[in-house]
Amino acid sequence: MPVDQFPSTHATWIDAQLTIIDGADGSQASRALSAREALRQHLWERYHAPLRAYVHGGSLRRAGEPDDLVAGYFADRVTTPDFLPAWRRSNMPLRRWMMNGMGFYARGVVRDRMRDRLRPFTDLTGSAAPSSDSSSTGAEEALLPADERTSEAAFEHAWAIAVLDAAHTQAHAELSKEDRLDEYDVFRRRVIEGEGYDTIGPSVGMSAQQCAGATRLVSQRMAAALREVLRAEGVRESEMDRTVQEVQRAVEATGGSR
């Protein structure tokens, strides 16, 4: 199905790549391969840091080194053909799908580790000793719940920073193409550094009113870019305002620190 047959609320970049993969025949194998790699690279760049924060911030860190667990999750789960189509069918936000999948993967790592430890105690038929299963289950359950809220908050904060960084990069590139980096500099000095228009204006040859206009312009560009980034994440228009607010809350919850 051509990409342009998607309704506008679903015509995201991810959908476009999935359409390429689904519609590719033998003669288009290289195009499908490129789409798969683009999806993998996008998910890695966007979610490596949030997933690492998720593992490191809670009891899942007992499952192993965060970087190793995230790499294993991508290799074992994220790159499988049905991972993203299953997400689409779920109607779940992509970040929740990624986070939940990481949790399931880490649990599986612990479960496999416990099975390996119990293997010497299996009987000659290969079945586990009666008490082994309950011991394994108890160990797995003990791994999870205590720090769940802390780890989810760490994930949400890292994800919010990732999408804001992507939006900032996009807006900055657009302003650069339009030769409007002077306005961006005013915005940066005012909003990020907290400098007053009385000192910014003379240094860039603008009045205080012009500086205020430049700040509004760039703020609007940043807000629009954030929505584009979230749209590319698969966020539907009906969910956009709520998701933007969630990004803001996730950053503010830690005082905007990185």
Side-chain angles (χ1 to χ4, degrees):
M1 182 170 63
V3 175
D4 60 7
Q5 289 185 19
F6 275 109
S8 60
T9 53
H10 296 269
T12 70
W13 179 83
I14 292 176
D15 283 323
Q17 307 314 304
L18 292 174
T19 301
I20 291 170
I21 294 167
D22 290 342
D25 56 24
S27 64
Q28 298 173 313
S30 62
R31 192 169 178 228
L33 185 63
S34 295
R36 287 187 188 280
E37 176 56 24
L39 283 169
R40 187 203 67 78
Q41 186 67 23
H42 170 77
L43 292 175
W44 179 263
E45 290 176 356
R46 184 61 47 78
Y47 283 99
H48 174 263
L51 289 171
R52 190 185 185 285
Y54 178 59
V55 173
H56 183 72
S59 53
L60 286 177
R61 63 182 176 271
R62 302 175 208 164
E65 289 296 321
D67 285 329
D68 292 342
L69 286 170
V70 174
Y73 173 50
F74 268 79
D76 191 62
R77 305 287 173 85
V78 177
T79 56
T80 58
D82 195 49
F83 184 83
L84 286 174
W87 157 64
R88 260 302 181 216
R89 295 191 296 270
S90 76
N91 289 320
M92 185 182 295
L94 179 56
R95 71 185 194 276
R96 302 298 299 186
W97 183 260
M98 293 291 292
M99 187 183 73
N100 290 349
M102 182 75 250
F104 285 125
Y105 174 76
R107 291 176 179 89
V109 168
V110 174
R111 182 179 61 248
D112 292 345
R113 187 183 302 154
M114 293 299 297
R115 285 176 177 168
D116 288 343
R117 289 174 181 171
L118 293 170
R119 190 167 288 127
F121 304 100
T122 58
D123 62 25
L124 293 177
T125 66
S127 60
S131 61
S132 298
D133 237 13
S134 60
S135 299
S136 176
T137 302
E140 292 167 37
E141 291 300 318
L143 175 74
L144 300 173
D147 301 325
E148 192 67 16
R149 281 180 295 182
T150 301
S151 59
E152 286 192 15
F155 174 90
E156 290 286 341
H157 176 68
W159 173 79
I161 292 298
V163 296
L164 286 172
D165 279 350
H168 177 273
T169 298
Q170 181 175 315
H172 185 274
E174 291 171 356
L175 291 164
S176 179
K177 286 180 182 178
E178 298 170 14
D179 197 25
R180 307 189 81 156
L181 289 183
D182 283 349
E183 282 115 318
Y184 171 80
D185 192 47
V186 171
F187 166 85
R188 177 187 59 79
R189 291 168 64 179
R190 175 62 175 171
V191 175
I192 299 177
E193 298 179 7
E195 192 175 345
Y197 291 143
D198 56 334
T199 59
I200 297 173
S203 68
V204 295
M206 294 183 188
S207 67
Q209 186 175 1
Q210 288 173 322
C211 286
T215 299
R216 281 194 300 273
L217 167 72
V218 178
S219 295
Q220 290 166 358
R221 292 294 187 90
M222 293 289 180
L226 175 59
R227 287 174 175 265
E228 286 187 27
V229 169
L230 293 174
R231 199 171 287 116
E233 285 278 294
V235 176
R236 292 174 170 84
E237 292 303 321
S238 60
E239 303 165 347
M240 187 63 70
D241 289 343
R242 176 174 57 82
T243 306
V244 169
Q245 292 172 359
E246 288 171 350
V247 170
Q248 294 170 340
R249 284 197 299 269
V251 174
E252 291 168 359
T254 53
S257 64
R258 302 179 66 157

